[in-house]
């Protein structure tokens, strides 16, 4: 996309330039006698000159098309960033889940050891030991599934970075970066409708369409042609010739005749319809940008609320419940199934927290894509868009 944009930058100079001049030489198949002698040949240098404003408008259309290509390039860059951030969020979720499940295997080993001690002392049945072993096998199954999932998640991460699949991917134990404070929702949605690259690209296309309409209307006016001619005169056989052998020089000025008005009016209608189509695309892209921003913002808020709930209430309660269940089981005041239920509940919540952290990172990346810029720069953009000083 960057190379295409660089190519488009070279178009305005071409579109706004004059047509190449033409040099022509005419050979006389038979001598044409003039008053000064026979005409040997004719050399002509001519230049086409478009009507006033046409070159400027053509260069302007190309310049706006280059601006649209630049915004398409920015959109492609943002797509790559979203892919990388989303892939990293998935990688973090899997690696964090693996870390939690492997830590849970250690907890289950401890519970199995406690069950064996109580069974040896005649204070518990062999069923407690078997239940602990079954739960431990279930955790091993989770580890195998997560390790398999990590293979394709790491492959997606390498692909997003443009790396070969043979490159190793280290553990992603650092969570996605925290979400900075965001502007109010109406300002966010306004940014999405006004500053997303696809919308800016459509703005440039609309402006180019309007300029193309003006250019098509200029076709109703004539273009010009200026030529200089040299007529080579040979030695005259007429001794009475006034200027024998003297070459002749001429200047020619011509204009085109735009008489086929139906064709020209059709060109104006075509340009007008193309501009209307560009305006519709612009509106559609603005609506799509706002819809994506709303969806990403709703997902982001949901994950933030879930993370707050996990950290402040659910996980602390589950940790306290497991600790109390372990103490109660060792003292004989609680059965082993209650301990396993507490262990499962805590693991489930911790895994859900890792999922929410990953989904929060993906939602933040999607929101940045929807508004077309990094979230930590939104405050300055809102001030610029609203005319407020930073």
């Amino acid at each position: 996309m960057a190379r295409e944009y660089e190519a488009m930058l070279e178009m305005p100079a071409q579109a706004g330039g004059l047509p190449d001049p033409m040099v022509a030489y005419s050979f006389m198949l038979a001598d044409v006698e003039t008053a000064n002698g026979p005409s040997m040949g004719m050399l002509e240098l001519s230049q086409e000159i478009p009507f006033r404003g046409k070159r400027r408008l053509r260069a302007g259309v190309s310049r706006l098309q280059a601006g649209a290509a630049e915004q398409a390039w920015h959109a492609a860059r943002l797509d790559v960033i979203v892919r990388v951030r989303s892939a990293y969020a998935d990688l973090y979720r899997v690696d964090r889940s693996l870390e939690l499940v492997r830590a849970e295997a250690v907890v289950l080993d401890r519970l199995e050891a406690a069950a064996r001690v109580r069974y040896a002392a005649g204070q518990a049945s062999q069923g407690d030991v078997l239940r602990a072993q079954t739960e431990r096998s279930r955790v091993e199954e989770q580890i195998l599934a997560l390790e398999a999932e990590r293979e394709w998640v790491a492959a997606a991460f390498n692909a997003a970075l443009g790396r070969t699949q043979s490159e190793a991917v280290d553990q992603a134990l650092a969570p996605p970066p925290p979400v900075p404070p965001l502007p109010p929702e109406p300002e966010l949605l306004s940014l999405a409708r006004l500053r997303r690259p696809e919308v800016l690209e459509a703005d440039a296309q609309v402006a180019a369409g309007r300029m193309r309409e003006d250019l098509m209307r200029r076709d109703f006016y004539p273009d010009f042609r200026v030529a200089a001619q040299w007529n080579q005169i040979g030695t005259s056989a007429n001794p009475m010739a006034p200027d024998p052998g003297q070459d002749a020089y001429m200047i020619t000025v011509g204009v085109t005749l735009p008489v086929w008005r139906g064709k020209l009016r059709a060109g104006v209608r075509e340009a007008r319809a193309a501009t209307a189509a560009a305006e519709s695309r612009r509106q559609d892209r603005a609506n799509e940008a706002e819809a994506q921003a709303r969806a990403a913002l709703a997902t982001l808020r949901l994950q933030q609320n879930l993370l707050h709930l996990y950290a402040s209430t659910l996980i602390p309660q589950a940790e306290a419940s497991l600790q109390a269940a372990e103490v109660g089981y060792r003292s004989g005041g609680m059965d082993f199934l209650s301990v396993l239920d507490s262990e499962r509940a805590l693991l489930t919540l911790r895994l859900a927290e890792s999922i929410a952290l990953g989904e929060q990172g993906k939602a933040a990346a999607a929101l940045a894509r929807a508004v077309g810029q990094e979230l930590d720069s939104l405050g300055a953009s809102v001030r610029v868009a609203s005319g407020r000083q930073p």
Side-chain angles (χ1 to χ4, degrees), residues 216-235:
M216 296 303 292
R217 283 190 286 267
R218 296 293 175 105
D219 283 345
F220 284 89
Y221 300 94
D223 295 331
F224 304 95
R225 176 178 176 271
V226 178
Q229 294 174 330
W230 167 54
N231 192 351
Q232 184 182 13
I233 304 299
T235 303

Side-chain angles (χ1 to χ4, degrees), residues 25-342:
Y25 187 78
S26 300
F27 296 92
M28 300 299 179
L29 298 179
D31 290 345
V32 176
E33 191 70 27
T34 69
N36 295 338
S39 178
M40 309 291 292
M42 185 179 297
L43 179 68
E44 178 184 80
L45 174 65
S46 62
Q47 174 66 62
E48 303 287 342
I49 302 175
F51 187 81
R52 179 174 56 87
K54 284 186 177 181
R55 292 167 55 204
R56 174 183 57 82
L57 289 171
R58 287 170 185 158
V61 169
S62 295
R63 198 171 293 112
L64 287 167
Q65 289 173 336
E70 180 184 15
Q71 296 303 325
W73 168 43
H74 289 322
R77 291 176 63 247
L78 289 174
D79 285 337
V80 172
I81 291 172
V82 170
R83 283 184 61 200
V84 173
R85 287 180 172 168
S86 297
Y88 181 84
D90 284 334
L91 191 65
Y92 168 79
R93 171 185 57 80
V94 173
D95 283 345
R96 175 61 178 161
S97 297
L98 272 170
E99 185 182 39
L100 291 171
V101 174
R102 285 167 178 158
E104 192 63 22
V106 176
V107 173
L108 288 171
D109 289 340
R110 187 178 69 241
L111 292 177
E112 182 184 352
R116 287 183 180 279
V117 169
R118 287 180 53 79
Y119 174 61
Q123 297 173 345
S125 67
Q126 188 181 14
D128 290 351
V129 178
L130 296 176
R131 291 188 189 96
Q133 292 174 344
T134 301
E135 193 70 16
R136 181 66 171 79
S137 299
R138 185 185 64 82
V139 167
E140 283 296 328
E141 180 186 21
Q142 283 183 285
I143 291 174
L144 291 175
L146 287 169
E147 287 175 343
E149 184 180 1
R150 193 186 192 280
E151 291 291 329
W152 63 261
V153 169
F157 184 65
N158 273 337
L161 285 173
R163 304 195 306 187
T164 62
Q165 293 300 316
S166 60
E167 294 194 47
V169 178
D170 293 336
Q171 278 189 299
L173 297 181
V179 181
L182 299 176
E185 182 174 345
E187 295 179 346
L188 266 178
L189 300 180
S190 177
L191 277 178
R193 295 187 66 89
L194 295 175
R195 309 203 32 112
R196 181 179 165 107
E198 287 88 345
V199 176
L200 295 177
E201 178 188 2
D203 284 338
Q205 290 170 341
V206 170
R210 290 171 180 163
M211 192 171 288
R212 196 177 292 109
E213 288 183 53
D214 194 5
L215 176 61
M216 296 303 292
R217 283 190 286 267
R218 296 293 175 105
D219 283 345
F220 284 89
Y221 300 94
D223 295 331
F224 304 95
R225 176 178 176 271
V226 178
Q229 294 174 330
W230 167 54
N231 192 351
Q232 184 182 13
I233 304 299
T235 303
S236 175
N238 182 5
M240 304 299 295
D243 294 305
Q246 183 174 347
D247 295 342
Y249 300 91
M250 291 173 285
I251 297 293
T252 301
V253 178
V255 297
T256 60
L257 299 177
V259 297
W260 311 118
R261 314 298 272 185
K263 177 187 71 172
L264 300 178
R265 283 190 289 268
V268 173
R269 291 195 300 269
E270 177 192 1
R272 189 180 299 126
T275 302
E279 290 171 343
S280 296
R281 282 194 298 271
R282 196 270 176 205
Q283 183 64 36
D284 179 64
R285 290 180 179 182
N287 292 339
E288 181 182 4
E290 180 177 348
Q292 292 180 0
R294 286 181 183 274
L297 190 58
T299 303
L300 181 60
R301 286 171 174 166
L302 170 63
Q303 302 306 324
Q304 288 176 326
N305 291 335
L306 287 174
L307 287 170
H308 176 72
L309 183 62
Y310 292 141
S312 64
T313 306
L314 295 178
I315 290 180
Q317 288 176 348
E319 289 173 341
S321 176
L322 177 59
Q323 185 178 5
E326 280 196 65
V327 172
Y329 179 70
R330 293 179 188 277
S331 63
M334 186 169 292
D335 62 273
F336 194 68
L337 284 177
S338 298
V339 179
L340 289 181
D341 287 342
S342 299

